[in-house]
Amino acid sequence: MSQTNILFASDVSIADIPGGSERVLFEQTRGLVRRGYNVHILTRKPAGNPQCFENIAGVKEWRYDIDRRNAGRFLLTTLQNGKFLFEKLQNRFRFKCIHMHQPFTAFALMQSPLSKNIRKIYTCHSLSFEEYISRNRKPGTAWGKMLFFIHCCGRKHMEKKVLHQADHIMVLSRFTQKKLRNVYRIPLHKISINPGGADLKKFFPVQDKRQIRKKLHIPDDKFILFTLRNLEPRMGLENLILSLKKISEEIKDIYLIIGGEGPLMEELKKKARQSGTGRYIRFTGYIPEAKLADYYRAADFFILPTLELEGFGLVTPESLASGLPVLGTPVGGTEEILSLFGAGYLFRNTGPDAIADLIMEKYKKYREDISSWNQLSEKCRKFAEKYYSWKRNIDFMENIMKRETEKKSPIVMHL
């Protein structure tokens, strides 16, 4: 299928990579370009970016205008402009396969008759309406509640239509696979599990953390916990901050670095001050791509305190590839990854006490025994190499594309 035109339809852009959805899209499209495919992305213009077209690492990203003044205009311009741009591109490039990420742009292009005879694959990161509910607090007024309900139903309707019209669906975890079956009644034979990965050349361990900590202005005499999250309610960061109160009563050299931005930034800082844990925490804000790998390498443990909807979490394989052990809540894809890694790395629940107890247990085990920590770090790296490379993800995706376009018999991926 080399030199074949492939279209990715997405609601995010790879011009900036603030989260997991953008990372998966970037790695998959760039990986196919390296294998000789002509890869295009159809997406809406990101806020503040007026460019209609950009070539990014060989991936041709085409963008349509949207009106963000209200939800009605947003949806209408998405459907109109997304469909129009798709037809313009299809007439020019004759795509053999459409690979969809997220439902809005995908729903728009599916309104075009030109899309009907093209094989379609959908990568489902999470359910759109559940993400909306999680990220937005339910309004208190009757009118607000009605609009909230309409938003949820609209997202659910579009996503259901796109999923059922797709020829095949890929998910990153059994957790998401189960949701598709329960919520949208997608038959199991139509869904494949294709876990996300880590850039093994970018994320790798180091033996001596001192120079990296010095460069990042991280104290060298502390036991460093690191987390990288969008600062929003479902991430459970309040519980992680509260856990430090119990931890700091016994351990004085603990230090937590919270990376990322989001609506809860000021609220979380206030929580840290009120709980008396502020001196044990640093909020970095957004961490640029160029510095991210060093933050992983500088830490002793990565902490994933998610409350809900952790479809996969690319930070987990990135941490492990960096030789950084991960402690996480038993939620979604995190439970799958860490259970496969070994016993003893999942908190017993999502509460502050459970988080504190396991962190203290690991601290006592590894603080004074650097050789055993080094062995654990090596195990993390080998585990990531075996299960979570982007090459493995793209190999599987390419096989799905070939099967769908050439109508080959089903394949199954096992972990």
Side-chain angles (χ1 to χ4, degrees):
M1 283 179 62
S2 62
Q3 297 305 308
T4 299
N5 287 321
I6 305 296
L7 178 67
F8 281 72
S10 176
D11 297 332
V12 299
S13 167
I14 61 170
D16 186 29
I17 306 179
S21 296
E22 293 87 353
R23 171 60 63 193
V24 173
L25 182 64
F26 176 75
E27 295 292 347
Q28 289 186 343
T29 54
R30 185 181 64 165
L32 289 179
V33 166
R34 289 174 171 173
R35 297 183 184 201
Y37 294 82
N38 293 321
V39 182
H40 303 254
I41 295 175
L42 170 64
T43 189
R44 58 197 181 205
K45 285 183 180 178
N49 189 332
Q51 291 182 297
C52 297
F53 171 81
E54 195 170 350
N55 188 315
I56 304 168
V59 180
K60 302 170 184 67
E61 184 170 283
W62 308 86
R63 303 164 186 153
Y64 58 88
D65 285 304
I66 53 170
D67 187 337
R68 300 177 186 271
R69 284 178 291 179
N70 59 62
R73 294 296 303 169
F74 181 91
L75 178 60
L76 181 63
T77 52
T78 294
L79 297 181
Q80 290 179 339
N81 298 342
K83 176 176 176 287
F84 176 80
L85 181 54
F86 164 71
E87 291 178 340
K88 182 179 178 181
L89 295 175
Q90 174 61 14
N91 284 327
R92 179 177 174 184
F93 296 108
R94 305 293 179 185
F95 299 111
K96 190 169 185 179
C97 180
I98 300 174
H99 192 145
M100 302 173 288
H101 289 237
Q102 299 93 35
F104 283 92
T105 300
F107 188 82
L109 70 84
M110 280 188 169
Q111 307 314 300
S112 170
L114 298 184
S115 71
K116 302 306 178 185
N117 295 321
I118 308 174
R119 303 298 286 179
K120 302 174 191 69
I121 299 168
Y122 190 95
T123 289
C124 183
H125 302 262
S126 60
L127 303 194
S128 178
F129 78 95
E130 288 188 340
E131 287 282 349
Y132 179 81
I133 292 171
S134 176
R135 292 180 179 180
N136 296 274
R137 292 175 177 171
K138 196 170 183 178
T141 65
W143 175 247
K145 289 178 181 178
M146 185 177 73
L147 288 178
F148 189 86
F149 178 75
I150 292 172
H151 273 294
C152 294
C153 289
R155 286 171 179 268
K156 193 172 184 179
H157 170 75
M158 286 192 291
E159 189 166 55
K160 181 179 180 179
K161 287 285 187 181
V162 171
L163 288 165
H164 279 277
Q165 290 185 45
D167 296 293
H168 195 81
I169 300 165
M170 290 190 297
V171 296
L172 278 68
S173 63
R174 290 191 299 275
F175 171 76
T176 306
Q177 181 190 51
K178 184 176 180 180
K179 279 187 171 291
L180 290 182
R181 293 183 68 191
N182 292 341
V183 176
Y184 292 125
R185 298 293 186 261
I186 305 296
L188 186 60
H189 69 82
K190 192 176 174 178
I191 309 171
S192 293
I193 300 172
N194 187 21
D199 185 337
L200 299 178
K201 293 182 179 178
K202 177 180 179 180
F203 301 106
F204 57 86
V206 292
Q207 292 297 318
D208 188 352
K209 299 177 180 290
R210 287 175 296 181
Q211 289 302 316
I212 293 176
R213 290 184 176 185
K214 182 177 180 180
K215 182 169 64 172
L216 298 176
H217 306 290
I218 296 172
D220 185 47
D221 59 343
K222 303 292 185 182
F223 192 82
I224 305 297
L225 308 176
F226 176 50
T227 192
L228 180 69
R229 306 268 74 191
N230 292 321
L231 308 188
E232 55 189 46
R234 76 174 182 88
M235 298 302 180
L237 293 167
E238 299 95 330
N239 287 340
L240 177 56
I241 289 171
L242 291 176
S243 76
L244 283 189
K245 185 173 181 61
K246 182 175 182 178
I247 294 171
S248 62
E249 291 174 357
E250 291 191 30
I251 301 171
K252 301 304 180 184
D253 60 345
I254 203 79
Y255 194 74
L256 170 64
I257 297 174
I258 299 177
E261 295 179 324
L264 292 187
M265 174 69 84
E266 294 308 315
E267 189 175 325
L268 291 172
K269 288 182 177 179
K270 182 179 179 181
K271 179 77 70 176
R273 292 193 299 269
Q274 291 176 340
S275 64
T277 60
R279 67 180 183 274
Y280 299 103
I281 302 174
R282 177 194 296 181
F283 291 88
T284 69
Y286 173 72
I287 297 178
E289 281 286 305
K291 293 184 177 181
L292 180 56
D294 278 344
Y295 273 94
Y296 284 124
R297 287 190 279 264
D300 293 297
F301 273 89
F302 189 92
I303 311 299
L304 202 57
T306 319
L307 292 175
E308 60 177 359
L309 304 183
E310 191 65 69
F312 184 75
L314 293 179
V315 291
T316 303
E318 288 176 354
S319 297
L320 296 170
S322 304
L324 180 62
V326 178
L327 305 179
T329 49
V331 175
T334 301
E335 185 171 18
E336 295 173 32
I337 299 170
L338 296 184
S339 295
L340 183 64
F341 179 73
Y345 297 91
L346 287 167
F347 302 118
R348 65 180 183 271
N349 56 53
T350 62
D353 285 345
I355 294 173
D357 290 345
L358 188 57
I359 289 174
M360 288 191 290
E361 176 187 322
K362 296 301 181 183
Y363 171 91
K364 292 170 183 176
K365 182 174 181 180
Y366 293 110
R367 184 53 161 150
E368 303 302 329
D369 188 357
I370 191 64
S371 62
S372 63
W373 189 95
N374 287 337
Q375 291 172 5
L376 176 60
S377 178
E378 184 178 349
K379 178 185 176 183
C380 292
R381 174 65 186 189
K382 290 181 178 178
F383 181 77
E385 290 174 343
K386 182 177 181 180
Y387 292 110
Y388 298 112
S389 69
W390 282 116
K391 178 183 181 303
R392 194 173 192 264
N393 176 279
I394 296 166
D395 284 345
F396 186 75
M397 178 182 65
E398 187 177 22
N399 285 334
I400 291 287
M401 286 169 46
K402 288 180 178 179
R403 188 197 80 190
E404 290 302 324
T405 56
E406 299 170 12
K407 297 184 179 179
K408 291 186 176 180
S409 57
I411 58 175
V412 178
M413 184 181 200
H414 297 286
L415 284 178

